[in-house]
Amino acid sequence: MHRAFGIAVLAAMFFTPAVGAEAPAQTISVSLAREVASKTVALVESRGLYPRQQAEYDRARMALLAILDDQPFEIDRTALYTRITGLLATLDTNGHSFLIPARHELTTLRTQSTSTDLPPATFQVLQTSKGKVLRWTPPPVVISTMTALGPYLTRFHDEAETTPDIADACALVVDLSEQTGGNAWPPLVAMSPLFSDANNAMWVDRDGKRTALMNRAGLEDMRQRTGEGRANPLSRFDQGPLAVVTDKRTSSAGEMLLIALLGEARVQTFGSTSSGMTTANATYPLPDGSTLVLTQSRYAIGDGPVIRGGVEPMRQIHPGESSVDRVASAADWVAANSASCRPNEHK
């Protein structure tokens, strides 16, 4: 399995009970708690980013294991989760590693909990003085498995086919302002034609090893597995300038998409600094039904410095500028710099 398939980038937005699930017991057997704690520690120490301070981590680890001492039968589940959360808080992850409680799931304001209810991708054709520009606003997906990909691509293609004047667009704006976190892979597959072999976005593991983030063959394999065979509406924007809009809510998976796009030299970014969850996570089921979301790498562009915190746009918004204004600025720039765009009078 390619490394990309094993990572789902998730942001801690809201924990909600899974539909139809019973509330977990308030206590947990000591033997099961010990399995949960042991697996968490093993995963953290073998795969997670290193602690900010080893001594701080060691104290949190001792506190976690100490809760299991002198408890003959059961312990409080909340107390166990609190100690695990304390352990994860010592890691150098910007607070991005976390625990999803048993029988809960991760949701956002804009994403439903089943793959069949995914909102469609948003297309809009904008008029500029140099021609029409397509704006695509990929919605977030907080479903860590690839079951979300098929419905996501179906909605993506369906909406593209029903968007008036989409064929007249001469340039593209990718608006990541709604990318508040979740699974990055469905939107990444949808935008795969925008990436070239020269893309230099990188994963950086805890020991500093760099691996190419972009794998076009892997993205194409994911697409083929869904059976979606329609022509991608973004394919004709694989050359020329590309504008990307960011927002302070662009987070986690949204920042992964942003960094992947920044791996293309033709990209200009507009808006405000992203939220700062610029680390990549993997999910692991724990023995009691909870899920460990563990940060395993950071990002970089080429051989540049490892990215920490929010990503600043190349073109900052001005005080009082609205979201409509920043999208308009991005559209004006990309149309003015695209060889495919011409003034209206030449249309």
Side-chain angles (χ1 to χ4, degrees):
M1 179 180 290
H2 185 265
R3 186 171 186 267
F5 296 163
I7 298 177
V9 182
L10 301 171
M13 304 302 289
F14 301 96
F15 297 128
T16 60
V19 177
E22 298 179 0
Q26 293 182 347
T27 59
I28 182 173
S29 70
V30 171
S31 60
L32 182 56
R34 195 176 302 279
E35 290 181 41
V36 172
S38 297
K39 184 172 182 179
T40 297
V41 169
L43 287 168
V44 166
E45 294 185 356
S46 63
R47 303 184 184 184
L49 293 187
Y50 291 119
R52 294 186 301 272
Q53 297 180 5
Q54 187 62 43
E56 182 184 27
Y57 172 81
D58 291 341
R59 288 193 296 271
R61 183 178 184 275
M62 289 179 61
L64 171 59
L65 300 179
I67 198 175
L68 305 173
D69 295 339
D70 302 323
Q71 299 290 335
F73 301 113
E74 295 184 333
I75 65 171
D76 182 74
R77 186 188 294 266
T78 300
L80 175 66
Y81 287 174
T82 298
R83 300 291 177 94
I84 291 175
T85 299
L87 181 80
L88 299 176
T90 69
L91 305 179
D92 186 19
T93 67
N94 302 109
H96 206 186
S97 292
F98 54 94
L99 186 73
I100 300 177
R103 301 193 181 99
H104 282 59
E105 60 190 11
L106 197 64
T107 63
T108 69
L109 289 172
R110 294 180 178 269
T111 305
Q112 284 71 43
S113 60
T114 63
S115 59
T116 56
D117 279 338
L118 286 174
T122 301
F123 288 96
Q124 180 185 14
V125 177
L126 307 173
Q127 183 67 58
T128 75
S129 62
K130 302 296 183 181
K132 293 178 180 179
V133 172
L134 179 63
R135 173 196 185 189
W136 179 50
T137 309
V141 183
V142 184
I143 301 173
S144 62
T145 67
M146 294 310 292
T147 59
L149 179 57
Y152 194 95
L153 292 184
T154 296
R155 297 292 184 93
F156 170 77
H157 285 282
D158 286 350
E159 185 174 343
E161 290 177 353
T162 58
T163 299
D165 300 329
I166 192 172
D168 296 334
C170 58
L172 176 66
V173 172
V174 178
D175 185 353
L176 298 179
S177 59
E178 297 299 317
Q179 271 291 325
T180 53
N183 184 346
W185 296 108
L188 199 65
V189 172
M191 67 170 70
S192 60
L194 304 180
F195 302 112
S196 68
D197 291 335
N199 188 286
N200 65 345
M202 298 286 172
W203 308 103
V204 185
D205 72 13
R206 64 185 189 172
D207 295 315
K209 180 182 178 181
R210 300 189 179 214
T211 306
L213 187 159
M214 189 49 53
N215 182 294
R216 297 174 66 197
L219 295 179
E220 175 60 17
D221 180 68
M222 287 189 239
R223 184 196 66 79
Q224 289 184 3
R225 291 186 187 191
T226 70
E228 178 55 71
R230 286 177 283 182
N232 192 306
L234 304 184
S235 293
R236 58 198 179 91
F237 304 112
D238 62 347
Q239 302 290 324
L242 178 62
V244 177
V245 174
T246 62
D247 184 85
K248 62 183 179 181
R249 298 185 308 139
T250 304
S251 180
S252 188
E255 289 169 304
M256 176 178 165
L257 299 178
L258 170 60
I259 291 163
L261 289 165
L262 285 171
E264 300 292 323
R266 64 195 182 104
V267 165
Q268 283 281 307
T269 56
F270 298 75
S272 53
T273 302
S274 64
S275 76
M277 287 191 175
T278 45
T279 52
N281 293 346
T283 58
Y284 298 97
L286 296 178
D288 74 324
S290 58
T291 301
L292 175 64
V293 182
L294 182 64
T295 303
Q296 296 188 182
S297 59
R298 293 188 177 275
Y299 302 104
I301 302 298
D303 59 0
V306 171
I307 296 171
R308 289 179 173 272
V311 180
E312 293 185 5
M314 299 170 182
R315 297 170 182 252
Q316 289 273 4
I317 62 171
H318 301 296
E321 189 175 32
S322 69
S323 59
V324 173
D325 293 332
R326 75 183 66 169
V327 171
S329 295
D332 287 341
W333 175 85
V334 76
N337 287 277
S338 174
S340 300
C341 294
R342 297 291 184 270
N344 288 338
E345 59 265 28
H346 294 164
K347 287 289 184 180

